[in-house]
Amino acid sequence: MIGRSTECEVSLNDTFLSTEHARLEQRGTNWVLEDLNSTNGTYLNGFEVRAVTEVHDGDLIRVGRVELKVLLG
């Protein structure tokens, strides 16, 4: 879970983030990203995430004003 809440595994101090903003999780051998109805949206490589979307090594996730680079291994 990515968000502003201290209960999230990735807790970020950014007022543009929702309390629980997005979920990044492993499903089998794949990683997927899901926006949790956040106010400002979740973006993967510059495109808004509107459904559960597969994530790959080197992808860029933007939540609020924070950009995260995915490093898988």
Side-chain angles (χ1 to χ4, degrees):
M1 191 79 65
I2 302 168
R4 204 172 62 238
S5 170
T6 57
E7 300 295 313
C8 291
E9 286 82 1
V10 178
S11 178
L12 301 167
N13 185 15
D14 181 349
T15 58
F16 282 82
L17 282 175
S18 296
T19 303
E20 292 182 343
H21 196 97
R23 178 180 293 122
L24 177 65
E25 68 180 348
Q26 189 171 12
R27 292 188 183 170
T29 59
N30 299 320
W31 284 86
V32 295
L33 178 65
E34 177 182 12
D35 180 73
L36 300 176
N37 298 314
S38 65
T39 303
N40 294 313
T42 299
Y43 295 83
L44 180 64
N45 299 321
F47 296 96
E48 187 171 9
V49 174
R50 296 182 183 264
V52 176
T53 304
E54 196 169 313
V55 175
H56 301 97
D57 190 52
D59 282 350
L60 296 175
I61 298 171
R62 184 167 52 84
V63 290
R65 293 178 285 196
V66 177
E67 191 167 80
L68 306 165
K69 185 172 186 174
V70 177
L71 300 174
L72 301 174

